[in-house]
Amino acid sequence: MILFYNILDVSAYNAFVLWREIDPDWNRNKLHKGRLFLEELGKSLVRISSSTMWLLVLVLLGLLFVIRWYRQSQILENLSDKYVFITGCDTGFGNLLAKQLDKRGMKVLASCLTEKGAEKLKKETSSRLQTTILDISDSKNVSSVADWVSRIVGDRGLWGLVNNAAIPGSMAPLGWQKKNDFVKVLEVNVLGMIDVTLTLLPQVRKAQGRIVNVSSIAGRLALIPGGYNISKYCVEVFSDTLR
């Protein structure tokens, strides 16, 4: 059997040698055809790569156009005609927001808890910004401030309401606290926010405006023992119901 295979191998080799001798250009033709094949393959790959590259360029340009269009669509026009009411502007986020919106030309109505905070804010802003004193846990105070806002905005309505006012309350182990420690925080952070929102809601609807409730990560994770965590969970739920 081994001998038979060897004879076949020798015969095939002899046939290959004989073919090469009959056609002396065999090697040259094979090399030429191989070269042509590789050249055509390279051109095809270049064409495919070029098409893919231009396709990617067009896709990227399309994405950039969509992103730019979306950003432009979010930019508000006529900011100077829009009123925004912000609670808790003595310090912190409310104070910074009032200053930023005032710089952008909006008509800011800023409520502060103290006269000192209101006076300081007025000194640091333009004449467009107006201040008032508000304790959001006092319903009578909320009603009087809502009337003040209505007189100022008139038929234009209130384009923005930012519920920022809040207090941290007691932050201690639960066993050290009493019911009143929770009540005080909830009256300000939850019931006060709800009172302001419901009272000014007709003005917000008139302007087809926005309501922003300032929450916290404490509204997602129970990080702090006491009423603050509970109040921020309530803010999250109240915001969801508004939507």
Side-chain angles (χ1 to χ4, degrees):
M1 184 66 70
I2 295 174
L3 179 61
F4 177 71
Y5 280 134
N6 289 336
I7 291 172
L8 287 178
D9 291 341
V10 171
S11 299
Y13 176 75
N14 290 336
F16 172 74
V17 172
L18 179 62
W19 185 17
R20 190 174 61 179
E21 289 176 354
I22 293 172
D23 185 7
D25 294 332
W26 182 84
N27 287 330
R28 189 182 308 156
N29 291 336
K30 285 295 183 181
L31 289 173
H32 180 66
K33 291 179 180 178
R35 188 182 300 111
L36 290 176
F37 173 74
L38 291 176
E39 288 178 357
E40 290 298 324
L41 180 62
K43 291 178 181 179
S44 299
L45 290 175
V46 169
R47 285 195 295 269
I48 293 173
S49 299
S50 300
S51 301
T52 304
M53 180 187 70
W54 284 113
L55 180 61
L56 288 174
V57 170
L58 290 175
V59 170
L60 288 175
L61 289 175
L63 287 174
L64 288 174
F65 174 78
V66 171
I67 292 171
R68 182 176 177 81
W69 170 82
Y70 177 75
R71 292 186 63 183
Q72 290 294 326
S73 67
Q74 300 302 306
I75 296 176
L76 294 173
E77 298 179 356
N78 301 322
L79 292 178
S80 59
D81 294 336
K82 292 178 171 58
Y83 286 92
V84 178
F85 180 75
I86 310 170
T87 64
C89 294
D90 297 76
T91 57
F93 293 142
N95 185 275
L96 292 174
L97 180 61
K99 293 176 183 177
Q100 286 291 328
L101 296 183
D102 178 63
K103 288 180 181 179
R104 291 179 178 270
M106 300 190 77
K107 295 179 179 179
V108 179
L109 306 177
S111 70
C112 300
L113 184 62
T114 64
E115 290 284 354
K116 181 179 179 181
E119 291 175 2
K120 184 179 179 181
L121 181 60
K122 290 189 70 173
K123 290 179 182 179
E124 298 173 347
T125 54
S126 71
S127 58
R128 286 188 304 271
L129 185 141
Q130 301 182 58
T131 61
T132 186
I133 304 302
L134 174 62
D135 178 2
I136 63 173
S137 63
D138 184 347
S139 292
K140 291 183 179 180
N141 195 180
V142 171
S143 296
S144 64
V145 169
D147 292 338
W148 173 76
V149 171
S150 299
R151 288 194 301 270
I152 294 174
V153 301
D155 294 333
R156 293 180 180 178
L158 187 62
W159 185 84
L161 167 61
V162 182
N163 287 308
N164 170 72
I167 59 174
S170 300
M171 297 183 184
L174 294 179
W176 296 1
Q177 300 187 53
K178 303 296 181 182
K179 177 183 175 181
N180 288 337
D181 296 323
F182 289 85
V183 170
K184 185 177 180 180
V185 178
L186 296 177
E187 280 183 348
V188 176
N189 297 4
V190 181
L191 299 178
M193 175 198 65
I194 294 174
D195 193 10
V196 171
T197 302
L198 298 181
T199 306
L200 290 174
L201 190 58
Q203 294 297 331
V204 176
R205 284 176 172 166
K206 186 183 295 185
Q208 296 183 344
R210 282 83 169 148
I211 298 175
V212 178
N213 297 325
V214 179
S215 184
S216 166
I217 191 165
R220 297 293 184 182
L221 299 172
L223 301 174
I224 305 169
Y228 184 79
N229 238 130
I230 299 171
S231 70
K232 291 305 176 181
Y233 267 86
C234 292
V235 171
E236 294 287 340
V237 174
F238 181 67
S239 300
D240 287 340
T241 59
L242 279 175
R243 297 187 184 98

